[in-house]
Amino acid sequence: IGDITFYKYTDKKQGFKDHNYTLTDYFFEKGEYIYNLTFIVDPKAEIDINAVIASIEVEELDPETFGTSLRSQNNPDMIVPVKNDHWTIKAPATWAPSSYGTSAQFESDYAEASIMISSSTDKKYTATELKTQIKDMIKSVKEAGATITSDMKSTKFNGHNAYTFSMKESSENKPASYATVYFIYENNCLVIIMTAYDELYDTEATKSEIASILSSFEMVEK
């Protein structure tokens, strides 16, 4: 369009309460910068995206004046370790790892996806007590409007005994999101790991990145 070459992809999703929506991403390059425009619209709406795109005017920016975007500084090949006295995990720099005390959070640069980890040694649990706490959490999220897509079950998490459940959250005002919660209890330490992503990013690429990060998780041997 004009002197700008756009690249785009379109994805149709069902996430709002009563209708589908369409996500269209446009990318273009001007000078040293890459720009991304995202349109999320009801396909029934009378919105002329091409008219919006055609109205865009972009002047080339000087990187010495405006600097380098933070996203481009995050090297996808750089792996950042996060560890404390109880567990360790690694994630690409593009997942913006951050840690505080016995907790950590990872948020993708490229998708509405995240991983959150918290741990506590404040209480000792029997198997029955732990399952009761998980059932109480499931009851709480259901009361808040979430749909349980996979009820509590025992599993193996990188060789560690664990429990897990999955849920879907949706509202009229934003796309649906999916979350899976894992509970690992070892050496009197309870670790809770939650992965989450918006339905817009319900792709094999997102799931593969999450699985790759989770595969690096280990409990510290005592």
Side-chain angles (χ1 to χ4, degrees):
I1 300 175
D3 65 342
I4 302 176
T5 299
F6 288 86
Y7 300 88
K8 76 170 186 176
Y9 72 84
T10 299
D11 196 10
K12 294 182 178 180
K13 294 290 186 180
Q14 183 176 1
F16 286 97
K17 184 175 181 180
D18 298 317
H19 59 271
N20 297 338
Y21 56 92
T22 299
L23 177 147
T24 303
D25 262 318
Y26 287 81
F27 299 89
F28 66 92
E29 185 174 358
K30 187 74 171 180
E32 296 296 318
Y33 295 91
I34 295 175
Y35 299 82
N36 173 209
L37 302 173
T38 301
F39 296 85
I40 304 175
V41 299
D42 183 334
K44 298 178 181 179
E46 297 181 0
I47 298 176
D48 189 348
I49 294 178
N50 289 333
V52 177
I53 294 295
S55 70
I56 294 174
E57 295 182 6
V58 183
E59 63 179 63
E60 192 167 322
L61 302 178
D62 181 3
E64 293 187 4
T65 301
F66 292 92
T68 303
S69 66
L70 290 175
R71 176 169 291 184
S72 65
Q73 291 177 351
N74 285 340
N75 183 349
D77 296 322
M78 184 194 313
I79 303 300
V80 179
V82 175
K83 59 183 178 180
N84 59 36
D85 291 340
H86 305 290
W87 49 263
T88 66
I89 195 169
K90 299 175 183 177
T94 50
W95 275 73
S98 62
S99 61
Y100 34 94
T102 58
S103 301
Q105 183 167 327
F106 308 85
E107 294 185 352
S108 172
D109 276 1
Y110 305 109
E112 290 296 327
S114 64
I115 299 172
M116 289 168 283
I117 307 175
S118 63
S119 57
S120 173
T121 56
D122 293 340
K123 181 179 178 180
K124 293 183 178 181
Y125 291 91
T126 65
T128 299
E129 289 172 337
L130 179 56
K131 285 190 286 187
T132 297
Q133 176 165 319
I134 297 171
K135 289 177 181 178
D136 288 343
M137 181 181 291
I138 292 174
K139 179 182 178 182
S140 177
V141 298
K142 287 173 68 175
E143 290 175 348
T147 300
I148 303 302
T149 57
S150 178
D151 212 344
M152 183 186 70
K153 62 182 178 181
S154 59
T155 186
K156 285 287 187 180
F157 190 99
N158 296 349
H160 304 284
N161 293 323
Y163 294 98
T164 184
F165 74 88
S166 298
M167 60 184 171
K168 177 181 180 180
E169 297 180 283
S170 58
S171 72
E172 295 182 358
N173 301 316
K174 63 180 182 179
S177 63
Y178 297 94
T180 298
V181 189
Y182 300 92
F183 303 81
I184 303 169
Y185 184 62
E186 283 187 13
N187 301 320
N188 296 323
C189 178
L190 175 62
V191 180
I192 302 176
I193 302 173
M194 185 172 77
T195 67
Y197 54 85
D198 279 5
E199 189 173 47
L200 291 170
Y201 299 94
D202 183 10
T203 65
E204 289 305 315
T206 300
K207 295 175 183 177
S208 177
E209 284 194 64
I210 290 174
S212 177
I213 295 171
L214 295 185
S215 70
S216 70
F217 176 88
E218 287 295 341
M219 298 289 289
V220 175
E221 293 186 12
K222 298 293 184 178

